[in-house]
Amino acid sequence: ASSDNSNSLSGAVYVYKRTGTTWAQEAYIKASNSEATDYFGEVVALDGDTLAVGAYLEDSSQDTITNGTTASSNNSSNDSGAVYVYKRTGTTWEQEAYIKASNSEANDYFGNSVALDGDTLVVGAYGEDSNQTTITNDNSTASSNNSNSRSGAVYVYKRTGTTWTQEAYVKASNSEATDWFGSSVALDGDTLAVGAYKEESSQTTITNDNSTASSDNSNNRSGAVYVYKRTGTTWAQEAYVKASNSEATDEFGYSVALDNDTLAVGVRDEDSNQTTITNDNSTASSNNSSSASGAVYVYKRTGTTWEQEAYVKASNNDASDVFGYRVALDGDTLAVGAFGEDSNQTTITNDNSTASSNNSSDDSGAVYVYKRTGTTWAQEAYVKASNNDASDLFGYYVALDGDTLAVGADYEDSNQTTITNGTSASSNNSSSNSGAVYVYNWAPSGPLLMG
């Protein structure tokens, strides 16, 4: 990869491939119109041989999709944002499309969130400003109205062959200024979940089977999640989801994950001091003595009806742990990142419901893995970095597929430039905030192991 540093914060993406138990770099990807402060790679989504990369601070004024290998060099629409799609053939990656919003404007932050499943791509733009409260299906238009500042929008794209086109432009049914609809997105088949973590209603229930949502604004930044279902090429709202203990500044929907009929919602600033999992009901703690400890809510769909299945708190719950900052879901396994967790443990605790109560490694971070049996969720593992250090923010990102878990540590400090295949990690701290990724796998019928 390039050692040139002349394009500050332009961003890059690195692709790795595993053969057996050995990981090796396959590609180093830069935007075809790479410029300083574009933040290319701030978010990524991967499905098979297709990769989507968000650059939410990209600046071009283009409002169309370029299917091919080029991208605009125009910089007249500051922080409008863009998404780049890449396709792998054999071991070679090539740009397939450069996507701009059909109503692209400055400060829309298009590409702040992305989700990908097969030939469908979803892009969030939490800074989009229109006052529309409906879904526009089956065309390439979007509202040019700007009267609802940072209400947010989501765009759905469909690939036919190698050509991407817009399928839908989605606005919240109770869209209001500063809701940040689209701040998080998750996609599985024909189901889409969208987080709006600054939404303000005081509702504490789920609204199923219609296109309405509360117009109440008495619960500042309580947050909401909207679920949409596609029939043919038409998207419609299926549910409007609020936390059963919804409170101001909880930011419900900061992260979302979706797999089949299960939805997980991360709430980084939820405040209860509970240290257990509440299964099989619609209740959650009303205690607020553990500020910004965080929580995760799991929902299950039966037919077209969503209901709460579990309310999950960390077993070593502490204030400011931000448990739920990231969530990942695959089948009956849930992974939760808590980058503000503080213990100095450097091992993985498998097969029980305990976690360290030590707080001597401030903001080192942790990841918790949960397993569902029937309708009951239980902790399966508590994961700490093997080179745990304060302020590493381990758990800032999490990704899960099958028996493999990947964890990002945004501020890890080692100067290593190679991959360690095995269970150790560098204790060097000479490259401040350079970052690292840790990969874990489940041994057959065994514990979670660093790989």
Side-chain angles (χ1 to χ4, degrees):
S2 174
S3 58
D4 177 276
N5 285 311
S6 60
N7 216 10
S8 178
L9 305 179
S10 54
V13 170
Y14 302 73
V15 182
Y16 299 89
K17 182 74 175 178
R18 177 172 54 191
T19 304
T21 58
T22 301
W23 290 89
Q25 185 176 307
E26 187 175 67
Y28 166 69
I29 301 176
K30 294 287 290 187
S32 48
N33 62 342
S34 179
E35 299 230 357
T37 69
D38 277 356
Y39 279 48
F40 176 87
E42 174 73 9
V43 293
V44 295
L46 181 66
D47 187 54
D49 293 319
T50 303
L51 168 69
V53 180
Y56 78 105
L57 299 185
E58 193 265 4
D59 301 318
S60 97
S61 61
Q62 184 173 312
D63 58 6
T64 57
I65 300 170
T66 300
N67 286 287
T69 59
T70 62
S72 173
S73 58
N74 174 290
N75 285 310
S76 62
S77 191
N78 190 52
D79 298 344
S80 52
V83 170
Y84 305 73
V85 181
Y86 299 89
K87 183 73 174 175
R88 176 171 55 189
T89 304
T91 58
T92 301
W93 290 88
E94 184 176 53
Q95 183 179 303
E96 186 174 65
Y98 164 71
I99 301 177
K100 296 285 292 187
S102 48
N103 62 341
S104 179
E105 297 215 357
N107 302 311
D108 277 358
Y109 306 131
F110 178 85
N112 67 264
S113 58
V114 294
L116 183 66
D117 188 23
D119 293 318
T120 303
L121 168 69
V122 174
V123 180
Y126 72 74
E128 195 265 4
D129 301 318
S130 96
N131 67 348
Q132 185 171 313
T133 57
T134 56
I135 301 169
T136 302
N137 282 290
D138 302 321
N139 59 59
S140 59
T141 63
S143 175
S144 58
N145 175 286
N146 286 311
S147 62
N148 218 7
S149 178
R150 298 205 175 178
S151 51
V154 167
Y155 304 73
V156 183
Y157 300 91
K158 186 72 174 177
R159 176 171 56 189
T160 304
T162 58
T163 300
W164 290 89
T165 56
Q166 183 178 302
E167 186 175 68
Y169 164 70
V170 184
K171 293 286 292 187
S173 48
N174 63 340
S175 179
E176 299 229 358
T178 68
D179 276 358
W180 288 31
F181 177 85
S183 50
S184 60
V185 293
L187 177 69
D188 187 63
D190 292 319
T191 304
L192 165 66
V194 179
Y197 73 87
K198 292 194 175 186
E199 194 264 4
E200 299 176 331
S201 95
S202 60
Q203 184 171 313
T204 57
T205 56
I206 301 169
T207 301
N208 282 291
D209 301 321
N210 59 59
S211 58
T212 63
S214 174
S215 59
D216 174 274
N217 285 310
S218 61
N219 217 10
N220 183 46
R221 288 179 23 228
S222 53
V225 170
Y226 305 72
V227 182
Y228 301 90
K229 184 74 174 177
R230 176 171 55 188
T231 304
T233 59
T234 300
W235 291 89
Q237 183 178 304
E238 187 174 65
Y240 165 70
V241 184
K242 294 285 292 186
S244 48
N245 63 341
S246 180
E247 298 217 357
T249 71
D250 276 358
E251 301 192 342
F252 178 87
Y254 188 85
S255 59
V256 292
L258 185 65
D259 188 48
N260 201 6
D261 292 319
T262 303
L263 168 69
V265 179
V267 190
R268 64 174 183 175
D269 285 341
E270 196 265 3
D271 302 318
S272 96
N273 67 350
Q274 185 171 312
T275 58
T276 55
I277 301 169
T278 301
N279 282 291
D280 299 323
N281 60 59
S282 58
T283 63
S285 174
S286 58
N287 175 285
N288 286 310
S289 64
S290 191
S291 179
S293 53
V296 171
Y297 302 71
V298 182
Y299 300 90
K300 184 72 174 177
R301 176 172 55 189
T302 304
T304 59
T305 300
W306 290 90
E307 62 178 1
Q308 184 177 303
E309 186 175 65
Y311 164 69
V312 183
K313 294 286 292 187
S315 48
N316 62 341
N317 177 354
D318 264 316
S320 302
D321 278 357
V322 291
F323 175 87
Y325 188 82
R326 296 286 186 241
V327 290
L329 185 66
D330 187 52
D332 293 318
T333 304
L334 168 69
V336 179
F339 75 77
E341 196 266 3
D342 302 319
S343 96
N344 67 348
Q345 184 172 313
T346 57
T347 56
I348 301 167
T349 301
N350 281 290
D351 301 322
N352 59 60
S353 59
T354 63
S356 174
S357 58
N358 175 287
N359 284 313
S360 63
S361 190
D362 191 49
D363 292 341
S364 52
V367 169
Y368 304 73
V369 182
Y370 301 90
K371 189 74 172 176
R372 176 172 54 190
T373 304
T375 59
T376 301
W377 290 89
Q379 184 178 303
E380 187 172 64
Y382 163 69
V383 185
K384 294 286 292 186
S386 51
N387 62 340
N388 176 354
D389 265 315
S391 303
D392 277 357
L393 307 189
F394 178 85
Y396 195 88
Y397 291 105
V398 294
L400 182 65
D401 186 50
D403 292 333
T404 302
L405 168 69
V407 180
D410 210 34
Y411 283 5
E412 196 265 3
D413 300 318
S414 97
N415 67 348
Q416 185 172 313
T417 58
T418 56
I419 300 169
T420 300
N421 286 287
T423 59
S424 61
S426 173
S427 59
N428 175 288
N429 285 313
S430 63
S431 192
S432 181
N433 301 343
S434 52
V437 171
Y438 304 72
V439 182
Y440 302 88
N441 69 284
W442 283 267
S445 301
L448 184 65
L449 304 169
M450 184 173 177

